[in-house]
Amino acid sequence: MGIGNALVEQGLLSAEQLDDALAESRTSGERLDRVLVRRGLVSRDRVLETLGDHFHMAVIDLAGVEVEAKVLETLPAKLVYRQSCVPVARADDRLTVATSDPFNLDALDELRLVTGCAIDMVLADEDDLRKFIRTHYGVGSDTLDQMSADADANATEVADASTAGEIEQAQEASVIKLVNDLLIEAVNERATDVHIEPYEHELLVRYRIDGVLQRANVPPTIHRFSAAIISRLKIMANLNIAEKRLPQDGRITFRYRGERGGMQEFDLRVSVIPMLFGEGVVLRLLSKTAVLMSLNELGMPDNVLTRWNKLIQRPHGILLVTGPTGSGKSTTLYGSLNQIVSDEIKVITVEDPVEYHVAGVNQIQVHTRVGLTFSAGLRSILRHDPDVVMIGEIRDRETAEIAVQASLTGHLVFSTLHTNDAAGSMTRLLDMGVEPFLVASSIEGVLAQRLVRRVCESCGESYTPENADIPADFDMAEDATLTRGVGCRACRGTGFRGRLGIYEMLSLDDTLREMVMERVNAPRIKAAALKSGVLQPLRQDGYAKARAGLTSITEVMRALAV
């Protein structure tokens, strides 16, 4: 009985669903079981159990298996990657090997030939197997093994001092594959940034996942090929490969077919800086196919969301979103624009970079090399008769003054500022040199935000915290419980997966406008806003989300540095 028929017999699949999946499998060439899982017709676990029964193979959970180093060394990394299988146990001349593809009979013969052992095959989940290989053999270890072998065989140094030699190395198929493996791993791990840092005896690769840097598992031999890797990235970004003394910036368009099918396209911002032991590279990953989040999905509390929705409907004024780098300001602005864009409203943005493509919005990319700065772009787009203008960031006095003038002449202006809280935005504009009466008359509202990591849904558990772990201003009922993640394979053992925002919003009333006119400092403005009830601090929203089980107290304290 085939796998599909077995699933039908078990009542997990209808005959019609099986026929549709079979038709797609024949057309695409994709395995039937993978089609069924991708379409959500059957869970991966049930398919794995059925495959095990069908082929009389035991099913193993690789996440809970510890394998001795000498067993892992039984198979070379190149073979492990090519056949997608891993050794998990050995007893005398019998080797137990885990695979996710029981249909691959050629692998069995090659394993017998390479090891000289009798092979016992067991089944493992495909994603678990892929993670196991990356964890124990390292990202791109098969490619690095081959590159090292070639370099040793030729008895030559990997790093060629000449520019021509570097270009030749960077265009080798093995280097191209290695760089692609590093980028694909970053995409699969949901990284927003990739850091490549050369040291004297090490090349460190780190991914920023959910706002926190984590080391990528790469073999130590990658250090030998650091020059070739960096040269390859510079070629991809159209940078000068011979220039090693000055910083350079560029862009890469990276296309990748995801693990679940479907083409993904990413815009990679590349920054190269000369350092003591080579050139350091940081890549910012921006997905061109990412789904734009609505304001309802960002995690705004109801009272903030209601007030913000009213402000973004206003015909003029300035609305600011503040917070440090990586706090989700741009996502909030995009969600706001997406909510108000219509055929009756013309929206123009000036951004660096354009992170999302929004239908119906005219978006301009800043290009400082040719003089297209925020201020120059803003000055020009006002002649295009916009109703709403978005400035990626107010960085200087000139941009701030043009934004103020635009708001006073009947435009609604969105922008961001780097301040710690909402009240500090007014004093920041004053410090830039904008006149107090202009700030007081143009600013309508300020939204301050941070991003905190969500407790992992797969391993989250309730617990009763110790009193010492609870901040003094945290209001917690007696016998109440909080939620924390204990760590699992889904969250890379961190206990967190995904992020959500915490917010505070300040709407300017007459009292606050007078305080701005008098150049009152930020703490006094914040105290007056709290007293009048128009401001709920960031910390209180964070605590509310911790009580709701969405994040943890320690994560809120980390994000706010309290």
Side-chain angles (χ1 to χ4, degrees), residues 112-399:
R112 286 198 194 100
L113 184 64
V114 170
T115 63
C117 297
I119 305 297
D120 295 324
M121 303 294 285
V122 295
L123 267 180
D125 178 76
E126 189 173 5
D127 286 353
D128 290 349
L129 182 64
R130 195 178 292 112
K131 290 180 181 178
F132 185 92
I133 292 174
R134 290 197 298 257
T135 300
H136 292 86
Y137 290 90
V139 179
S141 57
D142 56 334
T143 308
L144 283 168
D145 284 353
Q146 184 61 49
M147 292 167 66
S148 298
D150 293 344
D152 293 338
N154 296 331
T156 58
E157 286 293 328
V158 174
D160 191 323
S162 69
T163 301
E166 288 187 2
I167 294 175
E168 183 178 350
Q169 292 166 16
Q171 292 177 334
E172 291 179 356
S174 55
V175 175
I176 293 172
K177 183 178 184 301
L178 178 59
V179 171
N180 286 344
D181 285 345
L182 292 172
L183 297 180
I184 290 170
E185 174 75 357
V187 170
N188 289 337
E189 294 293 342
R190 303 177 298 106
T192 56
D193 301 84
V194 179
H195 294 243
I196 301 175
E197 305 161 354
Y199 295 95
E200 186 174 8
H201 303 295
E202 181 184 24
L203 182 69
L204 187 62
V205 180
R206 295 192 289 175
Y207 299 141
R208 188 175 295 279
I209 303 171
D210 292 333
V212 178
L213 281 173
Q214 300 179 29
R215 289 188 67 154
N217 183 29
V218 294
T221 52
I222 197 173
H223 174 66
R224 299 182 62 187
F225 308 95
S226 58
I229 292 169
I230 293 169
S231 295
R232 172 60 188 165
L233 289 169
K234 290 169 75 173
I235 289 173
M236 293 172 70
N238 293 317
L239 300 179
N240 183 359
I241 194 172
E243 179 56 74
K244 300 179 183 297
R245 300 165 300 172
L246 296 175
Q248 297 187 72
D249 295 311
R251 297 184 185 278
I252 298 172
T253 296
F254 181 69
R255 294 179 181 87
Y256 162 61
R257 188 171 296 281
E259 295 177 357
R260 298 299 176 195
M263 185 64 70
Q264 301 180 56
E265 187 170 328
F266 293 85
D267 182 25
L268 276 57
R269 282 195 299 165
V270 183
S271 177
V272 182
I273 297 180
M275 295 184 176
L276 188 60
F277 297 105
E279 292 177 287
V281 182
V282 174
L283 301 100
R284 166 67 60 87
L285 277 68
L286 303 171
S287 175
K288 292 186 177 181
T289 53
V291 178
L292 188 62
M293 297 180 70
S294 68
L295 292 177
N296 294 325
E297 298 171 317
L298 296 177
M300 283 189 191
D302 292 339
N303 61 332
V304 171
L305 182 60
T306 301
R307 293 163 59 200
W308 184 251
N309 279 333
K310 289 181 179 178
L311 285 179
I312 64 177
Q313 301 294 336
R314 294 181 65 88
H316 55 77
I318 295 179
L319 300 179
L320 296 175
V321 181
T322 74
T325 300
S327 59
K329 301 186 298 295
S330 296
T331 303
T332 298
L333 287 180
Y334 281 120
S336 303
L337 290 179
N338 198 43
Q339 185 156 317
I340 64 174
V341 67
S342 67
D343 291 340
E344 292 78 30
I345 295 177
K346 178 161 185 173
V347 182
I348 305 181
T349 72
V350 186
E351 309 169 59
D352 184 23
V354 176
E355 296 187 27
Y356 293 91
H357 296 172
V358 185
V361 175
N362 301 273
Q363 296 174 275
I364 300 172
Q365 170 70 54
V366 166
H367 200 330
T368 53
R369 288 183 182 177
V370 297
L372 181 54
T373 61
F374 280 116
S375 56
L378 181 57
R379 189 180 296 108
S380 298
I381 65 178
L382 291 179
R383 293 193 287 269
H384 275 243
D385 187 32
D387 299 290
V388 178
V389 175
M390 188 186 96
I391 314 167
E393 182 185 347
I394 295 178
R395 297 178 177 175
D396 50 43
R397 175 178 177 176
E398 185 180 8
T399 306

Side-chain angles (χ1 to χ4, degrees), residues 39-173:
R39 298 178 66 172
L41 299 175
V42 187
S43 70
R44 289 159 54 192
D45 292 340
R46 295 308 297 267
V47 167
L48 201 62
E49 291 174 10
T50 305
L51 282 171
D53 293 339
H54 184 73
F55 287 94
H56 304 288
M57 296 171 64
V59 177
I60 187 174
D61 181 8
L62 286 177
V65 173
E66 292 189 9
V67 183
E68 297 179 2
K70 62 180 181 180
V71 175
L72 293 171
E73 294 169 0
T74 308
L75 296 180
K78 186 176 181 179
L79 177 59
V80 167
Y81 272 88
R82 187 174 70 249
Q83 297 291 6
S84 191
C85 59
V86 293
V88 293
R90 182 171 184 172
D92 298 327
D93 60 347
R94 298 196 70 86
L95 182 68
T96 302
V97 177
T99 181
S100 63
D101 186 1
F103 302 95
N104 186 7
L105 300 179
D106 292 337
L108 195 60
D109 295 332
E110 187 174 7
L111 292 171
R112 286 198 194 100
L113 184 64
V114 170
T115 63
C117 297
I119 305 297
D120 295 324
M121 303 294 285
V122 295
L123 267 180
D125 178 76
E126 189 173 5
D127 286 353
D128 290 349
L129 182 64
R130 195 178 292 112
K131 290 180 181 178
F132 185 92
I133 292 174
R134 290 197 298 257
T135 300
H136 292 86
Y137 290 90
V139 179
S141 57
D142 56 334
T143 308
L144 283 168
D145 284 353
Q146 184 61 49
M147 292 167 66
S148 298
D150 293 344
D152 293 338
N154 296 331
T156 58
E157 286 293 328
V158 174
D160 191 323
S162 69
T163 301
E166 288 187 2
I167 294 175
E168 183 178 350
Q169 292 166 16
Q171 292 177 334
E172 291 179 356

